[in-house]
Amino acid sequence: MNGILTPEVLVLGGTGAVGQGVVGALLEAGSPVLVVGRDPGRLAALHEQFADEPGLQTMLGSLSDDSSARALAERVAQRPRPLAAVVAAMGGPYNRGRVVERGGDALSAALQADLMPHVHAVHHLLPLLQDNVHARRYVMIGSPAGLKPWAGYGETSITTAALRMYAQVVHQEAQAVGVRAQMLEVCSPVCTPANAANACIEWPSSLLVGRRVVSLLDGCRDNRAIVRCDSSDAELPRGLLHLEIPPLWRDTAGVA
């Protein structure tokens, strides 16, 4: 049965502001999409937003702890469609405040909320890709806060910098099992309906970010651990995703 059905892309955080753009771009490119989320109301709203798209399916699940992530991976593994790729668009909301005025417990809680869901996801979901005959891509979406400190959002800068390093380590280790794991680093804040009135012209939209994700999944030979996304990436994808094509990137050396 798996040889007949089109492989799907699993999107984590697909109900968020950036995640919705990723979902929209994948559906635009003709890929079946499975979105995992913790909030039934937000999953229902996503279905309503893309009501005319039969390729969208949702699953209630959590990556907040190891046991929940294991249970989720078991359910994903039992699905009839093969899994071609995982896109982790998890992040936020961000806590405002000065790090020097907070105790260690606050930073520990921020790491638990922002970094550990990615750790749980990689641990349990990346192995589902390694024996797959399809594209085998794992993409984490990063933010500009990991490159330099954001005034008033120090915790976010620390946790996203930790995620950036984590992505580079996973990139190296995943190649040994035939999976290309990368971070798509968004170089500016993302323009969303919530901030559109005050957004700068160079801020990419969430759909633009999603189209950049599609370009990484669509036979891309770029094997760098960190791939950047900015307003220069506004071109439309070439066409439908070719998720049946074997990876073309193995002969390319990885550069962080």
Side-chain angles (χ1 to χ4, degrees), residues 65-134:
D65 57 74
D66 192 72
S67 60
S68 297
R70 182 186 302 111
L72 172 63
E74 291 172 353
R75 292 166 61 201
V76 171
Q78 293 170 4
R79 289 179 59 78
R81 287 188 184 277
L83 183 63
V86 176
V87 180
M90 301 176 289
Y94 302 136
N95 296 322
R96 185 171 179 82
R98 289 164 52 87
V99 169
V100 295
E101 296 172 353
R102 297 175 185 246
D105 289 346
L107 180 56
S108 178
L111 288 165
Q112 185 67 36
D114 296 345
L115 175 64
M116 294 312 296
H118 286 277
V119 175
H120 299 318
V122 166
H123 180 56
H124 291 289
L125 294 173
L126 191 143
L128 300 183
L129 297 168
Q130 67 183 57
D131 297 322
N132 202 321
V133 297
H134 302 284

Side-chain angles (χ1 to χ4, degrees), residues 9 19 21 30 32 35 41 59-60 76 91 95 114 123 132 135 152 185 191 213 226 244 251 256:
V9 176
V35 175
M59 178 183 290
L60 195 63
V76 171
N95 296 322
D114 296 345
H123 180 56
N132 202 321
E185 189 166 65
C191 179
V213 169
I226 308 292
E244 301 284 354
D251 295 331

Side-chain angles (χ1 to χ4, degrees), residues 77-212:
Q78 293 170 4
R79 289 179 59 78
R81 287 188 184 277
L83 183 63
V86 176
V87 180
M90 301 176 289
Y94 302 136
N95 296 322
R96 185 171 179 82
R98 289 164 52 87
V99 169
V100 295
E101 296 172 353
R102 297 175 185 246
D105 289 346
L107 180 56
S108 178
L111 288 165
Q112 185 67 36
D114 296 345
L115 175 64
M116 294 312 296
H118 286 277
V119 175
H120 299 318
V122 166
H123 180 56
H124 291 289
L125 294 173
L126 191 143
L128 300 183
L129 297 168
Q130 67 183 57
D131 297 322
N132 202 321
V133 297
H134 302 284
R136 300 192 294 277
R137 310 279 197 262
Y138 195 106
V139 178
M140 291 172 259
I141 298 182
S143 90
L147 291 172
K148 57 184 178 181
W150 275 11
Y153 292 91
E155 283 183 356
T156 297
S157 295
I158 294 168
T159 59
T160 54
L163 176 61
R164 192 176 194 273
M165 179 56 69
Y166 179 71
Q168 293 178 77
V169 174
V170 171
H171 169 76
Q172 290 183 335
E173 296 184 359
Q175 292 187 85
V177 294
V179 178
R180 190 180 75 192
Q182 295 174 290
M183 169 173 279
L184 178 63
E185 189 166 65
V186 184
C187 302
S188 303
V190 176
C191 179
T192 68
N195 65 19
N198 301 311
C200 298
I201 192 170
E202 67 269 18
W203 291 5
S205 68
S206 60
L207 183 60
L208 186 151
V209 174
R211 287 171 175 167
R212 187 71 172 95

